[in-house]
Amino acid sequence: MFPVKELKRSLFVSIWFAFLTFPIMVIKVDPIERIVSWRWDNMIFVAIGSFVLSILAKVYFVRKERRAGSKKAQTVLTEPYVHRILREPRFLYPLSLAVLTFAILFPHLFSAYQTNIMTTALMYVVLGLGLNIVVGVAGLLDLGYVAFYAVGAYSYALLNMHFGLSFWLAMPIGGLLAAFVGVLLGFPVLRLRGDYLAIVTLGFGEIIRLVLENWNDFSQGPSGIANISRPGFFGIDMSFSASINYIYYLVVGLVVVTIFVVNRLQSSRLGRAWLALREDEIACQAMGIDKTKTKLIAFSLGAFWAGLVGVIFAAKTTFVNPASFTFLESAIILSIVVLGGMGSIVGVILGALTLILLPEYLRALSEYRMLAFGAILVIMMIFRPEGLISNVRRSYRFKKQTSSESE
Amino acid sequence: MSEAILNVSNLTMDFGGIRALDSVDIEIHRGEIVALIGPNGAGKTTFFNCLTGIYTPSAGEIQLRHPETGKKSRLNGMKPNKITEKGMARTFQNIRLFANMSVLENVMIGRHCRSHALIFGAIFRNPATRKEEREIVDISYQILKKVGLHKQVNEQAKNLSYGAQRRLEIARALATDPFLLLLDEPAAGMNPQETEALINLIRLICSEGHSILLIEHDMKLVMSLSDRIFVMDYGKKIAQGTPEEVRSNPAVIKAYLGEDVDA
Ligand SMILES: Nc1ncnc2c1ncn2[C@@H]1O[C@H](COP(=O)(O)OP(=O)(O)OP(=O)(O)O)[C@@H](O)[C@H]1O
Ligand SMILES: [Mg+2]
């Protein structure tokens, strides 16, 4: 069944891998005992492992090609059962209701510890949905998203420290400040495309972090700002566990609002323009779309959401320092969007829950978190480049009515 | 004849050392179908790109005059989207549809510059936004009906046949409400039946009050449609006139070097 050529290739792949991993897998230097140990058996494992994996990948691709070749209609029937559920209101509404009920009952069913983790995961859902507008819908690869998150968090931290500003006032201010910074950055940067935009936004993210780290008079440097007030509820003092639940519900509320808003944006005139910009910028301009303005709106809207979550983050941890806003954070949020499915709301939610909850519950895995991220992303790019759940565009019905009336 | 709606004078475009357009003068009047022909590499597409703001011309003047309001605007250095707003829209020689969007959505994008809803409207879907959105869908559907694509509204643009993609390009441009429509080789890749249908479509569009400037290699289409023809070669305008005049012009025959102009 398998041609010799393919076997040869897999053999080559395995030898190459054995060679590449030689320094870390085989040689072990103990600097204290001054012993070098050679773990040759590891090399054999790597070689066999990569050989088997490469064969498996090949089999998968051969199958996939055959399936694609055999009949198109068949794939149309089998593929999008997820999409069908998402499109049909009679499936979608009960499902959403069930999920929402579960979310509301969650703090009563599980411990405060679990609730806390869930709050964090949901914050990443919102961050993912925010970045999804920028990367998934408008196609602007932003690697410095965490900068806006930091702007939100520090807005609240500083305003609270200096002026005792309350959480509820800080929310809109933090969001708007982040959006404002987004516009400031966007103006010069958004004429760049693809890789160039990615590099510049990456640099910008680092600049913000470095400023926070080094401008001691402004941000108290690496030691950060502590004792930030938790969100108040009409001035009532809350116990620690009550405040955990309170923040949890707050974030659930924000998730619901975000889903609503992002969903509406996507199916609006603006959302269409974003999609079109991702497809072909020149055609877009020739069709009368103001490229700069449209991109800027996407960029600053994404930043606004990061700012909001930043404020909540500061309120939740009551402490911020620059270490929370490293590039890793941007990478995680981007992974959420890519893993979940660019442009797909449900996909991003699943992506966030997977990437944030999995390492929490599989403590053993958390050591290898970065490795797992890398592996997941590479595997996704190979096997499902469109993400867990690809985006479904809304369709229009004219046929049944035959007249020109729509929807 | 009335004042021209498009007046191009002395238009020159240099790419480094290459002069792709050399002092080209062209004018188009209301209600006309004008063809721009010439051998490959003559600079026709470059001419379109200069008109529509994709390139900024090195020298020359481009003036657009709105046939109803009579408002004149100088297009040099204007952004492409502004030019489209002024009422001149185009199609592309190498089809540039939004491949992964539906046929209807492609046309709806054309309505973008004639509608206004932004963030607020998108989120709250106030009555004005809903009305605007309904109009966008209705107008787009009507245009698709005109070009014969209304059965494929939800099809992805990339799944259309080549000829259908060309018609969708026209539909998308029409959605921007242009008074002047620029078509870059609309019949390229079409079979004779499709070309025939295209000729009728262009006539229909013209009769609805759009003026048309088209680039085309298909001489049958050019000769049967055009009121006037401009001929370019090596970036220069070498001839102009009615189809009959151009057909018998020695310079044109020479430029095409034995190509069968009478086809
Ligand atoms: N962006 C560019 N940079 C450099 N040279 C260009 C550019 N665009 C066009 N040219 C050159 O300008 C000349 C005219 O090209 P253009 O595409 O306008 O020809 P055309 O008349 O449309 O030809 P065809 O009938 O094949 O479409 C060609 O020599 C081409 O190489
Ligand atoms: Mg051309």
Side-chain angles (χ1 to χ4, degrees):
Chain A
M1 155 195 156
F2 238 71
V4 182
K5 202 179 105 205
E6 298 293 333
L7 283 178
K8 260 193 196 159
R9 284 191 143 199
S10 296
L11 199 66
F12 179 73
V13 165
S14 75
I15 290 172
W16 178 238
F17 256 85
F19 174 72
L20 268 187
T21 53
F22 179 79
I24 43 171
M25 296 305 287
V26 178
I27 306 175
K28 188 180 184 191
V29 181
D30 191 333
I32 300 160
E33 302 276 320
R34 295 172 168 273
I35 301 170
V36 178
S37 49
W38 302 81
R39 300 168 297 174
W40 293 108
D41 46 342
N42 275 355
M43 183 183 240
I44 297 170
F45 292 141
V46 168
I48 295 176
S50 50
F51 183 76
V52 170
L53 281 181
S54 114
I55 295 265
L56 282 180
K58 291 242 166 68
V59 170
Y60 175 84
F61 278 116
V62 168
R63 283 236 181 120
K64 197 172 163 190
E65 254 167 47
R66 253 186 233 150
R67 230 185 302 148
S70 67
K71 220 170 197 181
K72 262 192 180 169
Q74 209 175 0
T75 48
V76 170
L77 272 181
T78 51
E79 245 285 290
Y81 61 97
V82 187
H83 290 173
R84 244 184 296 157
I85 292 176
L86 293 183
R87 203 180 327 213
E88 285 275 339
R90 76 197 145 106
F91 294 132
L92 182 60
Y93 290 155
L95 193 71
S96 325
L97 209 65
V99 171
L100 191 64
T101 317
F102 178 71
I104 289 171
L105 292 180
F106 193 88
H108 305 289
L109 300 175
F110 298 96
S111 68
Y113 170 73
Q114 308 282 0
T115 309
N116 215 1
I117 291 176
M118 201 40 141
T119 309
T120 308
L122 290 179
M123 279 162 58
Y124 277 92
V125 168
V126 179
L127 285 172
L129 287 172
L131 186 62
N132 178 45
I133 299 176
V134 184
V135 180
V137 182
L140 307 166
L141 187 47
D142 179 359
L143 292 183
Y145 193 59
V146 74
F148 306 122
Y149 186 38
V151 168
Y154 268 88
S155 304
Y156 179 43
L158 289 171
L159 287 172
N160 185 257
M161 183 174 76
H162 292 304
F163 308 109
L165 210 68
S166 80
F167 171 82
W168 288 106
L169 261 175
M171 269 275 262
I173 294 178
L176 288 176
L177 268 178
F180 177 67
V181 173
V183 172
L184 277 191
L185 171 72
F187 249 121
V189 156
L190 283 177
R191 58 193 73 216
L192 301 172
R193 267 193 231 178
D195 314 354
Y196 302 103
L197 180 65
I199 297 294
V200 174
T201 49
L202 175 82
F204 171 73
E206 286 301 288
I207 288 172
I208 292 271
R209 187 177 61 81
L210 287 172
V211 165
L212 292 176
E213 208 150 83
N214 293 299
W215 192 359
N216 285 325
D217 302 333
F218 173 70
S219 64
Q220 304 194 355
S223 51
I225 300 170
N227 293 325
I228 304 167
S229 329
R230 289 171 186 285
F233 186 68
F234 300 113
I236 300 169
D237 263 342
M238 271 181 286
S239 68
F240 181 65
S241 73
S243 79
I244 283 182
N245 287 354
Y246 182 51
I247 292 189
Y248 171 81
Y249 284 123
L250 213 145
V251 175
V252 168
L254 185 63
V255 169
V256 172
V257 171
T258 311
I259 293 174
F260 177 79
V261 169
V262 171
N263 184 34
R264 286 228 155 159
L265 280 172
Q266 278 191 348
S267 59
S268 72
R269 166 177 179 267
L270 208 51
R272 271 195 308 275
W274 288 334
L275 276 184
L277 262 181
R278 191 174 73 176
E279 299 263 323
D280 190 329
E281 279 191 11
I282 290 187
C284 257
Q285 285 180 286
M287 288 308 117
I289 291 176
D290 188 333
K291 182 175 95 175
T292 321
K293 185 176 155 196
T294 311
K295 282 185 176 180
L296 217 50
I297 293 177
F299 208 65
S300 50
L301 264 179
F304 179 77
W305 252 271
L308 288 187
V309 185
V311 173
I312 296 184
F313 172 78
K316 175 174 174 277
T317 54
T318 69
F319 169 72
V320 292
N321 73 346
S324 308
F325 308 106
T326 57
F327 171 66
L328 175 62
E329 219 51 34
S330 291
I332 291 175
I333 304 168
L334 185 66
S335 308
I336 287 172
V337 176
V338 175
L339 176 78
M342 304 263 257
S344 154
I345 292 177
V346 180
V348 170
I349 295 171
L350 287 184
L353 294 182
T354 316
L355 279 188
I356 305 303
L357 293 184
L358 222 55
E360 293 290 348
Y361 288 115
L362 301 175
R363 270 280 156 214
L365 197 85
S366 67
E367 290 268 305
Y368 297 96
R369 197 176 172 136
M370 290 320 290
L371 200 65
F373 273 168
I376 287 175
L377 287 183
V378 170
I379 292 171
M380 286 298 291
M381 284 302 105
I382 295 175
F383 294 103
R384 260 193 97 80
E386 71 277 21
L388 287 176
I389 295 179
S390 57
N391 187 22
V392 249
R393 289 298 293 164
R394 149 158 184 240
S395 61
Y396 293 81
R397 279 167 278 132
F398 296 94
K399 289 166 198 162
K400 287 169 198 159
Q401 293 143 295
T402 54
S403 80
S404 74
E405 275 310 302
S406 63
E407 293 178 282
Chain B
M1 207 171 238
S2 64
E3 218 180 329
I5 52 168
L6 177 71
N7 201 328
V8 180
S9 57
N10 213 11
L11 192 70
T12 301
M13 179 79 212
D14 294 320
F15 292 112
I18 305 167
R19 178 151 289 191
L21 289 178
D22 195 352
S23 320
V24 180
D25 303 311
I26 274 180
E27 53 176 49
I28 295 171
H29 300 275
R30 188 175 185 178
E32 273 188 317
I33 300 182
V34 176
L36 180 60
I37 63 170
N40 290 114
K44 305 179 297 289
T45 300
T46 307
F47 182 70
F48 268 25
N49 285 341
C50 286
L51 291 192
T52 52
I54 301 206
Y55 296 155
T56 312
S58 318
E61 279 290 315
I62 309 168
Q63 249 201 11
L64 199 66
R65 190 183 137 269
H66 198 285
E68 255 97 58
T69 61
K71 215 176 132 229
K72 285 185 186 169
S73 26
R74 187 173 175 270
L75 301 188
N76 300 51
M78 208 183 255
K79 280 191 175 170
N81 54 299
K82 287 284 167 220
I83 293 178
T84 308
E85 266 174 44
K86 296 274 177 217
M88 180 163 74
R90 69 172 293 178
T91 66
F92 292 90
Q93 178 178 354
N94 47 341
I95 298 173
R96 301 194 84 129
L97 290 170
F98 307 116
N100 294 308
M101 295 170 76
S102 74
V103 168
L104 185 71
E105 279 177 322
N106 265 273
V107 183
M108 286 165 81
I109 288 290
R111 294 303 299 167
H112 190 94
C113 60
R114 303 288 173 228
S115 42
H116 309 282
L118 279 177
I119 304 174
F120 179 86
I123 296 174
F124 295 101
R125 278 198 197 150
N126 49 328
T129 308
R130 282 212 300 273
K131 179 158 167 282
E132 182 181 275
E133 193 72 9
R134 216 175 310 123
E135 277 168 7
I136 293 176
V137 174
D138 278 350
I139 294 174
S140 305
Y141 186 74
Q142 292 308 331
I143 294 173
L144 281 172
K145 230 175 179 173
K146 198 183 302 174
V147 303
L149 288 172
H150 56 291
K151 297 244 165 61
Q152 284 135 296
V153 277
N154 290 319
E155 196 73 52
Q156 286 199 323
K158 64 179 175 197
N159 295 339
L160 293 183
S161 73
Y162 203 69
Q165 292 196 2
R166 289 231 172 264
R167 273 181 288 146
L168 181 53
E169 276 244 354
I170 296 178
R172 190 178 65 173
L174 275 179
T176 66
D177 270 350
F179 60 84
L180 177 59
L181 188 59
L182 311 185
L183 307 174
D184 197 343
E185 303 201 11
M190 284 190 174
N191 62 32
Q193 288 94 318
E194 284 177 318
T195 308
E196 198 56 47
L198 179 70
I199 290 176
N200 291 332
L201 175 63
I202 294 177
R203 283 222 177 89
L204 174 71
I205 292 171
C206 182
S207 73
E208 285 174 349
H210 307 270
S211 312
I212 290 165
L213 171 62
L214 59 90
I215 297 175
E216 193 43 74
H217 285 297
D218 186 324
M219 284 306 146
K220 181 169 167 277
L221 184 147
V222 170
M223 293 298 164
S224 66
L225 269 180
S226 327
D227 299 312
R228 285 186 303 136
I229 299 177
F230 290 95
V231 190
M232 281 179 67
D233 196 16
Y234 294 112
K236 286 198 175 73
K237 185 176 79 179
I238 58 167
Q240 71 181 80
T242 61
E244 286 69 35
E245 287 165 0
V246 165
R247 206 195 296 252
S248 53
N249 189 320
V252 178
I253 296 170
K254 190 164 160 260
Y256 274 86
L257 262 176
E259 264 187 52
D260 192 1
V261 184
D262 296 271

